[in-house]
Coordinates of all heavy atoms in Angstrom, one line a residue:
L106 N 159.7 63.0 406.3 CA 159.6 64.1 405.4 C 158.4 65.0 405.8 O 158.5 66.2 405.8 CB 159.5 63.6 404.0 CG 159.4 64.7 402.9 CD1 160.7 65.5 402.9 CD2 159.1 64.2 401.6
L107 N 157.3 64.3 406.1 CA 156.1 65.1 406.5 C 156.3 65.8 407.8 O 155.9 67.0 408.0 CB 154.9 64.1 406.7 CG 153.5 64.8 407.0 CD1 153.2 65.8 405.9 CD2 152.5 63.7 407.1
L108 N 157.0 65.2 408.7 CA 157.3 65.8 410.0 C 158.2 67.1 409.8 O 158.0 68.1 410.4 CB 158.0 64.8 410.9 CG 158.4 65.3 412.3 CD1 157.1 65.8 413.1 CD2 159.1 64.3 413.1
L109 N 159.2 66.9 408.9 CA 160.1 68.1 408.6 C 159.3 69.2 408.0 O 159.5 70.4 408.3 CB 161.1 67.6 407.6 CG 162.2 68.6 407.2 CD1 162.9 69.1 408.4 CD2 163.1 68.0 406.2
L110 N 158.3 68.9 407.1 CA 157.5 70.0 406.5 C 156.6 70.7 407.5 O 156.5 71.9 407.5 CB 156.7 69.4 405.4 CG 157.4 69.0 404.1 CD1 156.4 68.3 403.1 CD2 158.0 70.2 403.4
L111 N 156.1 69.9 408.4 CA 155.3 70.5 409.5 C 156.1 71.4 410.4 O 155.7 72.4 410.8 CB 154.6 69.4 410.3 CG 153.5 68.6 409.6 CD1 153.0 67.5 410.5 CD2 152.3 69.6 409.3
L112 N 157.3 70.9 410.7 CA 158.2 71.7 411.6 C 158.6 73.0 410.9 O 158.6 74.1 411.5 CB 159.5 70.9 411.9 CG 160.5 71.6 412.8 CD1 159.9 72.0 414.1 CD2 161.7 70.7 412.9
L113 N 158.9 73.0 409.6 CA 159.2 74.1 408.8 C 158.0 75.1 408.8 O 158.2 76.3 408.9 CB 159.6 73.7 407.4 CG 160.1 74.8 406.5 CD1 161.3 75.5 407.0 CD2 160.4 74.3 405.1
L114 N 156.8 74.6 408.6 CA 155.6 75.4 408.6 C 155.4 76.1 409.9 O 155.1 77.3 410.0 CB 154.4 74.6 408.2 CG 153.1 75.3 408.1 CD1 153.1 76.4 407.0 CD2 151.9 74.3 407.9
L115 N 155.6 75.4 411.0 CA 155.5 75.9 412.3 C 156.5 77.1 412.5 O 156.1 78.1 413.1 CB 155.7 74.8 413.4 CG 155.6 75.3 414.8 CD1 154.1 75.8 415.1 CD2 155.9 74.1 415.7
L116 N 157.7 76.9 412.1 CA 158.7 77.9 412.3 C 158.4 79.1 411.4 O 158.6 80.3 411.9 CB 160.1 77.4 411.9 CG 160.8 76.4 412.8 CD1 162.0 75.8 412.2 CD2 161.0 77.0 414.2
C117 N 157.9 78.9 410.2 CA 157.5 80.1 409.4 C 156.3 80.8 410.0 O 156.3 82.1 410.0 CB 157.1 79.6 408.0 SG 158.5 79.0 407.0
Q118 N 155.4 80.1 410.6 CA 154.3 80.8 411.3 C 154.7 81.6 412.5 O 154.3 82.7 412.7 CB 153.2 79.8 411.7 CG 152.4 79.3 410.6 CD 151.3 78.3 411.1 OE1 151.5 77.5 412.0 NE2 150.2 78.3 410.4
K119 N 155.7 81.0 413.2 CA 156.2 81.8 414.4 C 156.9 83.1 413.9 O 156.8 84.1 414.5 CB 157.2 80.9 415.2 CG 156.5 79.9 416.1 CD 157.5 79.2 416.9 CE 156.8 78.3 417.9 NZ 157.7 77.7 418.8
G120 N 157.7 82.9 412.8 CA 158.4 84.1 412.3 C 157.4 85.1 411.8 O 157.6 86.3 412.0
L121 N 156.3 84.7 411.1 CA 155.3 85.7 410.7 C 154.7 86.4 411.8 O 154.5 87.6 411.8 CB 154.3 84.9 409.8 CG 153.1 85.8 409.3 CD1 153.7 86.9 408.4 CD2 152.1 85.0 408.6
I122 N 154.3 85.6 412.9 CA 153.7 86.2 414.0 C 154.6 87.2 414.7 O 154.2 88.4 415.0 CB 153.3 85.1 415.1 CG1 152.2 84.3 414.5 CG2 152.9 85.7 416.4 CD1 151.9 83.0 415.3
R123 N 155.9 86.9 414.8 CA 156.9 87.9 415.4 C 157.0 89.1 414.5 O 157.1 90.2 415.0 CB 158.3 87.2 415.6 CG 158.3 86.2 416.7 CD 159.7 85.6 416.9 NE 160.6 86.7 417.2 CZ 161.9 86.5 417.1 NH1 162.4 85.4 416.7 NH2 162.7 87.5 417.5
W124 N 157.0 88.9 413.2 CA 157.1 90.0 412.3 C 155.9 91.0 412.4 O 156.1 92.2 412.5 CB 157.3 89.6 410.8 CG 157.4 90.7 409.9 CD1 158.5 91.4 409.5 CD2 156.3 91.3 409.1 NE1 158.2 92.3 408.6 CE2 156.9 92.3 408.3 CE3 155.0 91.0 409.0 CZ2 156.1 93.1 407.5 CZ3 154.2 91.8 408.1 CH2 154.8 92.8 407.4
E125 N 154.7 90.4 412.5 CA 153.5 91.1 412.6 C 153.5 91.9 413.9 O 153.0 93.1 413.9 CB 152.3 90.2 412.4 CG 152.1 89.8 411.0 CD 150.9 88.8 410.9 OE1 150.5 88.2 411.9 OE2 150.4 88.6 409.8
E126 N 153.9 91.3 415.0 CA 154.0 92.0 416.3 C 155.0 93.2 416.2 O 154.6 94.3 416.7 CB 154.4 91.0 417.4 CG 153.3 90.0 417.7 CD 153.8 88.9 418.7 OE1 155.0 88.9 418.9 OE2 152.9 88.1 419.1
S127 N 156.1 92.9 415.7 CA 157.1 94.0 415.6 C 156.7 95.1 414.7 O 156.9 96.3 415.0 CB 158.5 93.5 415.2 OG 158.5 93.0 413.9
R128 N 156.0 94.8 413.6 CA 155.5 95.8 412.7 C 154.4 96.6 413.4 O 154.3 97.8 413.3 CB 154.9 95.1 411.4 CG 154.4 96.1 410.4 CD 154.0 95.4 409.1 NE 153.7 96.4 408.1 CZ 152.5 97.0 408.0 NH1 151.5 96.7 408.8 NH2 152.3 97.9 407.0
A129 N 153.5 95.9 414.1 CA 152.4 96.7 414.9 C 153.0 97.6 415.9 O 152.6 98.8 416.0 CB 151.5 95.7 415.5
N130 N 154.1 97.2 416.6 CA 154.7 98.1 417.5 C 155.4 99.3 416.8 O 155.3 100.4 417.3 CB 155.8 97.3 418.4 CG 155.2 96.4 419.3 OD1 154.1 96.5 419.8 ND2 155.9 95.3 419.7
W131 N 156.0 99.0 415.7 CA 156.6 100.1 414.9 C 155.6 101.1 414.4 O 155.8 102.3 414.5 CB 157.4 99.5 413.8 CG 158.1 100.5 412.9 CD1 159.2 101.2 413.2 CD2 157.6 100.9 411.6 NE1 159.5 102.0 412.1 CE2 158.5 101.8 411.1 CE3 156.5 100.5 410.8 CZ2 158.4 102.5 409.9 CZ3 156.4 101.1 409.5 CH2 157.3 102.1 409.1
L132 N 154.5 100.5 413.9 CA 153.4 101.4 413.5 C 152.8 102.3 414.6 O 152.5 103.5 414.4 CB 152.3 100.7 412.8 CG 152.7 100.1 411.4 CD1 151.6 99.2 410.9 CD2 153.0 101.2 410.4
K133 N 152.7 101.7 415.8 CA 152.2 102.4 416.9 C 153.2 103.6 417.3 O 152.7 104.7 417.5 CB 152.1 101.5 418.1 CG 150.7 101.0 418.4 CD 150.5 100.4 419.7 CE 151.2 99.0 419.7 NZ 151.0 98.2 420.9
S134 N 154.4 103.3 417.3 CA 155.4 104.3 417.7 C 155.5 105.3 416.6 O 155.7 106.5 416.8 CB 156.8 103.7 418.0 OG 157.3 103.1 416.8
D135 N 155.4 104.9 415.3 CA 155.5 105.8 414.2 C 154.3 106.8 414.2 O 154.4 108.0 413.9 CB 155.6 105.1 412.9 CG 155.9 106.0 411.7 OD1 156.8 106.9 411.9 OD2 155.2 105.8 410.6
S136 N 153.1 106.3 414.5 CA 151.9 107.1 414.4 C 151.9 108.1 415.5 O 151.4 109.2 415.3 CB 150.6 106.2 414.5 OG 150.5 105.6 415.8
S137 N 152.5 107.8 416.6 CA 152.6 108.8 417.7 C 153.5 109.9 417.3 O 153.3 111.1 417.7 CB 153.0 108.2 419.0 OG 154.3 107.7 418.9
S138 N 154.6 109.7 416.6 CA 155.5 110.7 416.2 C 155.0 111.5 415.0 O 155.4 112.6 414.8 CB 156.9 110.1 415.9 OG 156.8 109.3 414.8
S139 N 154.1 110.9 414.2 CA 153.7 111.6 413.0 C 152.7 112.7 413.4 O 152.4 113.6 412.6 CB 153.0 110.6 412.0 OG 151.8 110.0 412.6
S140 N 152.1 112.6 414.6 CA 151.2 113.7 415.0 C 151.9 115.0 415.1 O 151.4 116.0 415.0 CB 150.5 113.3 416.2 OG 151.4 113.1 417.3
S141 N 153.2 114.9 415.4 CA 154.0 116.1 415.5 C 155.0 116.1 414.3 O 156.2 116.2 414.4 CB 154.8 116.1 416.8 OG 155.7 115.0 416.8
A142 N 154.4 116.0 413.1 CA 155.2 116.0 411.9 C 156.0 117.3 411.8 O 155.5 118.4 412.0 CB 154.3 115.8 410.7
K143 N 157.2 117.1 411.4 CA 158.1 118.2 411.2 C 158.0 118.9 409.9 O 157.7 118.2 408.9 CB 159.6 117.7 411.4 CG 159.9 117.1 412.7 CD 161.3 116.6 412.8 CE 161.5 116.0 414.2 NZ 162.8 115.4 414.3
A144 N 158.1 120.2 409.9 CA 158.0 120.9 408.6 C 159.3 120.7 407.9 O 160.3 120.3 408.4 CB 157.8 122.4 408.9
A145 N 159.3 121.0 406.6 CA 160.5 120.9 405.8 C 161.6 121.9 406.3 O 161.3 123.0 406.7 CB 160.2 121.3 404.3
V146 N 162.8 121.3 406.3 CA 163.9 122.1 406.8 C 164.6 122.7 405.6 O 164.9 122.0 404.6 CB 164.9 121.2 407.6 CG1 166.1 122.0 408.1 CG2 164.2 120.5 408.7
P147 N 165.0 124.0 405.7 CA 165.6 124.6 404.5 C 167.1 124.1 404.4 O 167.8 124.0 405.3 CB 165.6 126.1 404.8 CG 165.4 126.2 406.3 CD 164.7 125.0 406.7
H148 N 167.4 123.6 403.1 CA 168.7 123.1 402.8 C 169.2 123.7 401.5 O 168.4 124.1 400.7 CB 168.7 121.6 402.6 CG 168.4 120.8 403.9 ND1 169.4 120.6 404.8 CD2 167.3 120.2 404.4 CE1 168.9 119.9 405.8 NE2 167.6 119.6 405.6
D149 N 170.5 123.8 401.4 CA 171.1 124.2 400.1 C 171.1 123.0 399.2 O 171.9 122.1 399.3 CB 172.5 124.7 400.4 CG 173.1 125.3 399.1 OD1 172.5 125.2 398.0 OD2 174.3 125.8 399.2
V150 N 170.1 123.0 398.3 CA 170.0 121.8 397.4 C 171.2 121.6 396.6 O 171.7 120.5 396.3 CB 168.7 122.0 396.5 CG1 168.6 120.9 395.5 CG2 167.5 122.1 397.4
D151 N 171.8 122.7 396.1 CA 173.0 122.6 395.2 C 174.1 121.9 396.0 O 174.9 121.1 395.5 CB 173.4 123.9 394.7 CG 172.4 124.5 393.7 OD1 171.8 123.6 393.0 OD2 172.3 125.7 393.6
E152 N 174.3 122.3 397.3 CA 175.3 121.7 398.1 C 175.1 120.2 398.3 O 176.0 119.4 398.3 CB 175.3 122.4 399.5 CG 176.4 121.9 400.4 CD 176.4 122.6 401.8 OE1 175.6 123.5 402.0 OE2 177.2 122.1 402.6
I153 N 173.8 119.8 398.5 CA 173.5 118.4 398.7 C 173.9 117.6 397.4 O 174.5 116.6 397.5 CB 172.0 118.2 399.1 CG1 171.8 118.8 400.5 CG2 171.6 116.8 399.0 CD1 170.3 118.8 400.9
I154 N 173.5 118.2 396.3 CA 173.7 117.5 395.0 C 175.2 117.4 394.8 O 175.8 116.4 394.3 CB 173.0 118.2 393.9 CG1 171.5 118.0 394.0 CG2 173.5 117.7 392.5 CD1 170.6 118.8 393.1
D155 N 176.0 118.5 395.0 CA 177.4 118.5 394.8 C 178.1 117.5 395.7 O 179.0 116.7 395.3 CB 178.0 119.9 395.2 CG 177.7 120.9 394.1 OD1 177.3 120.5 393.0 OD2 177.8 122.1 394.4
L156 N 177.6 117.3 397.0 CA 178.2 116.3 397.9 C 177.9 114.9 397.4 O 178.8 114.1 397.4 CB 177.6 116.5 399.3 CG 178.2 115.6 400.4 CD1 179.7 115.8 400.5 CD2 177.5 115.9 401.7
I157 N 176.7 114.7 396.9 CA 176.4 113.3 396.4 C 177.2 112.9 395.2 O 177.7 111.8 395.1 CB 174.9 113.3 396.0 CG1 174.0 113.4 397.3 CG2 174.6 112.0 395.2 CD1 172.5 113.5 396.9
F158 N 177.5 113.9 394.3 CA 178.2 113.6 393.1 C 179.7 113.8 393.1 O 180.4 113.6 392.2 CB 177.6 114.3 391.9 CG 176.2 113.7 391.5 CD1 175.1 114.4 391.9 CD2 176.2 112.5 390.8 CE1 173.8 113.8 391.5 CE2 174.9 112.0 390.5 CZ 173.8 112.6 390.8
S159 N 180.2 114.3 394.2 CA 181.6 114.6 394.3 C 182.4 113.4 394.4 O 181.9 112.3 394.9 CB 181.9 115.5 395.5 OG 181.7 114.8 396.7
Q160 N 183.6 113.4 394.0 CA 184.5 112.3 394.0 C 184.9 111.9 395.4 O 185.1 110.8 395.7 CB 185.8 112.5 393.2 CG 185.5 112.6 391.7 CD 185.0 111.3 391.2 OE1 185.4 110.2 391.6 NE2 184.0 111.4 390.3
R161 N 184.9 112.9 396.3 CA 185.3 112.6 397.7 C 184.3 111.7 398.4 O 184.6 111.0 399.3 CB 185.6 113.9 398.5 CG 184.4 114.7 398.7 CD 184.8 116.1 399.3 NE 183.7 117.0 399.2 CZ 182.9 117.4 400.2 NH1 183.2 117.0 401.4 NH2 182.0 118.3 400.0
W162 N 183.0 111.8 397.9 CA 182.0 111.0 398.5 C 182.2 109.5 398.2 O 182.1 108.7 399.0 CB 180.6 111.4 397.9 CG 179.5 110.6 398.4 CD1 179.0 109.5 397.8 CD2 178.7 110.8 399.5 NE1 177.9 109.0 398.5 CE2 177.7 109.8 399.6 CE3 178.7 111.8 400.5 CZ2 176.8 109.7 400.6 CZ3 177.7 111.7 401.5 CH2 176.8 110.7 401.5
R163 N 182.6 109.3 396.9 CA 182.8 107.9 396.5 C 184.2 107.3 396.9 O 184.3 106.2 397.1 CB 182.7 107.8 395.0 CG 181.2 107.9 394.5 CD 181.1 107.7 393.0 NE 180.2 108.7 392.5 CZ 180.4 109.4 391.5 NH1 181.5 109.3 390.8 NH2 179.5 110.3 391.1
A164 N 185.2 108.2 396.9 CA 186.5 107.7 397.1 C 186.9 107.5 398.6 O 187.8 106.7 398.9 CB 187.5 108.7 396.5
S165 N 186.3 108.3 399.5 CA 186.7 108.2 400.9 C 186.2 107.0 401.6 O 185.2 106.4 401.3 CB 186.2 109.5 401.6 OG 184.8 109.4 401.7
E166 N 187.0 106.5 402.5 CA 186.6 105.4 403.3 C 185.4 105.8 404.2 O 184.5 105.1 404.3 CB 187.8 104.9 404.2 CG 188.9 104.3 403.5 CD 188.6 102.9 403.1 OE1 187.9 102.2 403.8 OE2 189.1 102.4 402.0
E167 N 185.6 106.9 404.8 CA 184.5 107.5 405.6 C 183.6 108.3 404.7 O 184.1 109.2 404.0 CB 185.0 108.4 406.7 CG 185.9 107.7 407.8 CD 186.4 108.7 408.8 OE1 185.8 109.8 408.9 OE2 187.3 108.3 409.5
K168 N 182.3 108.0 404.7 CA 181.4 108.8 403.8 C 181.3 110.2 404.4 O 181.2 110.4 405.6 CB 180.1 108.1 403.7 CG 180.1 106.8 403.1 CD 180.5 106.9 401.7 CE 180.5 105.5 401.0 NZ 181.2 105.5 399.8
S169 N 181.3 111.2 403.5 CA 181.1 112.6 403.9 C 179.7 112.7 404.5 O 178.8 112.0 404.0 CB 181.3 113.5 402.7 OG 182.6 113.4 402.2
Q170 N 179.6 113.6 405.4 CA 178.3 113.8 406.0 C 177.7 115.1 405.5 O 178.4 116.0 405.1 CB 178.5 113.9 407.5 CG 179.1 112.7 408.2 CD 178.0 111.8 408.7 OE1 177.0 112.2 409.1 NE2 178.3 110.5 408.7
F171 N 176.4 115.1 405.5 CA 175.7 116.3 405.1 C 175.9 117.3 406.3 O 176.0 116.8 407.5 CB 174.2 116.1 404.9 CG 173.9 115.3 403.6 CD1 173.4 114.0 403.7 CD2 174.2 115.8 402.4 CE1 173.2 113.3 402.5 CE2 174.0 115.1 401.2 CZ 173.5 113.8 401.3
P172 N 175.8 118.6 406.1 CA 176.0 119.5 407.3 C 174.9 119.3 408.3 O 175.2 119.3 409.5 CB 175.8 120.9 406.6 CG 176.1 120.7 405.2 CD 175.7 119.3 404.9
E173 N 173.7 119.0 407.9 CA 172.6 118.7 408.8 C 171.8 117.5 408.2 O 171.9 117.3 407.0 CB 171.6 119.8 408.9 CG 172.2 121.1 409.5 CD 171.2 122.2 409.6 OE1 170.0 121.9 409.4 OE2 171.6 123.3 409.8
P174 N 171.2 116.7 409.0 CA 170.4 115.5 408.5 C 169.3 116.1 407.5 O 168.7 117.1 407.8 CB 169.8 114.9 409.7 CG 170.6 115.3 410.8 CD 171.2 116.7 410.5
V175 N 169.1 115.4 406.4 CA 168.1 115.7 405.5 C 167.0 114.7 405.6 O 167.2 113.5 405.4 CB 168.6 115.7 404.0 CG1 167.6 116.1 403.0 CG2 169.9 116.6 403.9
P176 N 165.8 115.1 405.9 CA 164.7 114.2 406.1 C 164.4 113.4 404.8 O 164.6 114.0 403.7 CB 163.5 115.1 406.4 CG 164.1 116.3 407.0 CD 165.4 116.5 406.3
L177 N 164.1 112.2 404.9 CA 163.9 111.3 403.7 C 163.0 111.9 402.7 O 163.3 111.9 401.5 CB 163.5 109.9 404.1 CG 163.3 108.9 403.0 CD1 164.6 108.7 402.2 CD2 162.8 107.6 403.6
P178 N 161.8 112.4 403.1 CA 160.9 113.0 402.0 C 161.5 114.1 401.2 O 161.3 114.2 400.0 CB 159.7 113.5 402.8 CG 159.7 112.6 404.1 CD 161.1 112.4 404.4
Q179 N 162.3 114.9 401.9 CA 163.0 116.0 401.2 C 164.1 115.5 400.3 O 164.2 116.0 399.2 CB 163.6 117.0 402.2 CG 162.7 118.0 402.7 CD 163.4 119.0 403.6 OE1 163.5 118.8 404.8 NE2 163.8 120.1 403.0
M180 N 164.8 114.5 400.7 CA 165.9 113.9 399.9 C 165.2 113.3 398.6 O 165.8 113.4 397.5 CB 166.7 112.9 400.7 CG 167.8 112.2 399.9 SD 169.0 113.4 399.2 CE 169.9 113.7 400.7
V181 N 164.1 112.6 398.8 CA 163.4 112.0 397.7 C 163.0 113.1 396.7 O 163.2 113.0 395.5 CB 162.2 111.2 398.1 CG1 161.3 110.8 396.9 CG2 162.6 110.0 398.9
D182 N 162.5 114.2 397.2 CA 162.1 115.3 396.3 C 163.3 115.9 395.6 O 163.2 116.2 394.4 CB 161.4 116.4 397.1 CG 160.0 116.1 397.6 OD1 159.4 115.1 397.0 OD2 159.5 116.7 398.5
I183 N 164.4 116.1 396.3 CA 165.6 116.6 395.6 C 166.1 115.7 394.5 O 166.4 116.1 393.4 CB 166.7 116.8 396.7 CG1 166.4 117.9 397.6 CG2 168.1 117.0 396.0 CD1 167.3 118.0 398.9
L184 N 166.1 114.4 394.8 CA 166.6 113.4 393.8 C 165.6 113.3 392.6 O 166.0 113.3 391.4 CB 166.8 112.0 394.4 CG 167.9 111.9 395.4 CD1 167.9 110.6 396.1 CD2 169.3 112.2 394.7
V185 N 164.3 113.4 392.8 CA 163.3 113.3 391.8 C 163.5 114.6 390.9 O 163.5 114.5 389.6 CB 161.9 113.2 392.3 CG1 160.9 113.5 391.2 CG2 161.7 111.8 392.9
D186 N 163.6 115.7 391.5 CA 163.8 117.0 390.7 C 165.1 116.9 389.9 O 165.1 117.3 388.7 CB 163.9 118.2 391.7 CG 162.6 118.5 392.3 OD1 161.5 118.0 391.8 OD2 162.6 119.3 393.3
L187 N 166.2 116.3 390.5 CA 167.4 116.2 389.7 C 167.2 115.2 388.5 O 167.7 115.5 387.4 CB 168.5 115.6 390.7 CG 169.8 115.3 390.0 CD1 170.5 116.6 389.5 CD2 170.7 114.6 391.0
W188 N 166.6 114.1 388.8 CA 166.4 113.1 387.7 C 165.5 113.7 386.6 O 165.8 113.5 385.4 CB 165.8 111.9 388.2 CG 166.6 111.1 389.2 CD1 168.0 111.1 389.2 CD2 166.2 110.3 390.2 NE1 168.5 110.3 390.2 CE2 167.4 109.8 390.9 CE3 165.0 109.9 390.7 CZ2 167.4 108.9 392.0 CZ3 164.9 109.1 391.8 CH2 166.1 108.6 392.4
E189 N 164.5 114.5 387.0 CA 163.7 115.1 385.9 C 164.4 116.1 385.1 O 164.3 116.2 383.9 CB 162.4 115.7 386.6 CG 161.4 114.7 387.1 CD 160.3 115.3 387.9 OE1 160.3 116.5 388.2 OE2 159.3 114.6 388.1
A190 N 165.3 116.9 385.8 CA 166.1 117.9 385.1 C 167.1 117.2 384.2 O 167.4 117.8 383.1 CB 166.9 118.8 386.2
E191 N 167.6 116.0 384.5 CA 168.5 115.3 383.6 C 167.8 114.5 382.6 O 168.4 113.8 381.8 CB 169.4 114.4 384.5 CG 170.3 115.1 385.5 CD 171.4 115.9 384.7 OE1 171.9 115.4 383.7 OE2 171.7 117.0 385.2
G192 N 166.4 114.5 382.6 CA 165.7 113.8 381.6 C 165.6 112.3 381.9 O 165.3 111.5 381.0
L193 N 165.8 111.9 383.2 CA 165.7 110.5 383.6 C 164.3 110.1 384.1 O 164.2 109.0 384.5 CB 166.8 110.2 384.7 CG 168.2 110.5 384.2 CD1 169.1 110.3 385.4 CD2 168.6 109.6 383.1
D194 N 163.4 111.0 384.0 CA 162.0 110.6 384.5 C 161.4 109.8 383.4 O 161.7 109.9 382.2 CB 161.2 111.9 384.8 CG 161.1 112.8 383.6 OD1 162.0 112.9 382.9 OD2 160.0 113.4 383.5
I195 N 160.4 109.0 383.9 CA 159.7 108.1 382.9 C 158.5 108.7 382.4 O 157.7 109.3 383.1 CB 159.4 106.7 383.6 CG1 160.7 106.1 383.9 CG2 158.6 105.9 382.7 CD1 160.6 104.8 384.7

């Protein structure tokens, strides 16, 4: 039983080390791209909201695509604004 616990601990440590290495590599690559941070891209917010809430979005096997990719920070802002307008903010 003790041997099994030691083996499990060793495997967990190896997993943690691999995770920390991959995270460090990801942070290195992310910091190099953040120096050339992109400005907000103009989008039709109403079109994005309509697409999210349309029945074709939920019903289709293939998810409908936005006309252009929406950066995550902008999508978060759009959704927060929508939730606040609907009274869903805390």
Side-chain angles (χ1 to χ4, degrees):
L106 182 63
L107 184 59
L108 183 60
L109 183 60
L110 289 174
L111 288 174
L112 182 60
L113 184 60
L114 181 62
L115 180 64
L116 288 173
C117 288
Q118 283 181 328
K119 282 186 176 185
L121 178 61
I122 290 169
R123 287 183 61 198
W124 180 84
E125 288 175 339
E126 288 171 352
S127 65
R128 183 176 186 276
N130 289 335
W131 178 75
L132 288 174
K133 264 193 280 186
S134 67
D135 189 44
S136 65
S137 64
S138 66
S139 67
S140 61
S141 61
K143 297 177 182 175
V146 179
H148 290 284
D149 183 359
V150 174
D151 293 327
E152 181 183 355
I153 292 172
I154 291 171
D155 288 343
L156 184 60
I157 291 171
F158 288 102
S159 70
Q160 289 301 320
R161 66 188 165 108
W162 178 269
R163 289 187 221 129
S165 67
E166 291 284 327
E167 296 177 16
K168 297 296 183 194
S169 300
Q170 298 267 331
F171 293 112
E173 294 180 15
V175 180
L177 182 59
Q179 276 186 274
M180 182 58 79
V181 169
D182 288 342
I183 290 169
L184 292 173
V185 168
D186 291 344
L187 176 66
W188 295 331
E189 288 175 348
E191 295 292 323
L193 299 175
D194 57 327
I195 296 177

